[in-house]
Amino acid sequence: MQKKVELPVNYAGKVFNSNQKPSLELFLLQSESSRPLVLICPGGGYAHLSTREATPVAQKMNELGFHSAVLSYSLAPMEFPAALCDLAEAVAFCRKNCAALKIDSKNIIVAGFSAGGHLAASLGCYWKSGLIQNILPYMPEQTRPNRLLLCYPVITSDRQFCHEESIENVLGKANLDERDFVSIEFHVDSSFPPTFIWHTFQDESVPIENSLALVRSLREAKIPFEFHAFERGCHGLALATPQTAKADGSCQEAECTVWPELFRNWFYK
């Protein structure tokens, strides 16, 4: 079953983006029992949403036995934490409707690609910090991701390795002096969810140092994680298959096509 849900905008009177209309596209399996859900945040530098990292990934997750959903979240121009509030709204919606949608409330996995990975990891950091609760009418447990799936994620604001467009877009021009606040590796603590990460050494747009910085912080905080570093592959691979290749045939890499199965194996081990 596939359907689109318009999410509420409960921003306590604060306007982040006049064009803000978050929505969730649900891809639900026909099931007698509850199943885990993978909630996908496509990449795009917080400037657009990559269609290659949306529906095809959701359908792949269905093939692997997961319910899935794709979030359309706030894009530039916006003010932090608009996109984060959208994701928190999406998790709260899924958790509230677990019974009706046959979602396993203990297994809501937030997945993100590139800038969407930054968004997913931001919720991993801030779900219980008070930041979201000061804006949205939810208790921390309502917006908590149970696990994260991060695909070549933007993590750091360190100018040597960051994806500058993502950092500038997520903060907004008025908040550019708060870069450390969106540098995920500085905010990992014992409440961060177990995490699956993959990246490639050839990624020039978002260098692998982003994932390595997060891996270091996860290890220090004793958070369970699995990290796969592939030798070859450009940025934005999505499924790395012909199905999600760009029009010019790029963004295919055979060795990286195994990542969904690796994630499934990690989840069920």
Side-chain angles (χ1 to χ4, degrees), residues 5 20 28 54 80 92 122 214 235 241:
V5 176
Q20 164 59 34
L28 302 175
F80 185 80
S122 296
L214 179 58
H235 186 70
T241 63

Side-chain angles (χ1 to χ4, degrees), residues 38-77:
V38 177
L39 199 170
I40 301 159
C41 304
Y46 287 108
H48 68 277
L49 297 176
S50 169
T51 57
R52 297 185 307 103
E53 296 165 346
T55 297
V57 178
Q59 293 171 338
K60 181 64 177 181
M61 291 298 119
N62 285 169
E63 290 176 17
L64 296 176
F66 299 91
H67 291 315
S68 60
V70 176
L71 175 65
S72 295
Y73 54 87
S74 289
L75 302 171

Side-chain angles (χ1 to χ4, degrees), residues 56 62 109 147 157-159 180 188 201 219 222 246:
N62 285 169
I109 305 127
R147 302 195 196 197
S157 67
D158 181 338
R159 286 185 171 85
D180 285 355
V188 173
F201 282 104
R219 183 166 174 78
K222 295 182 171 57
K246 291 185 176 180

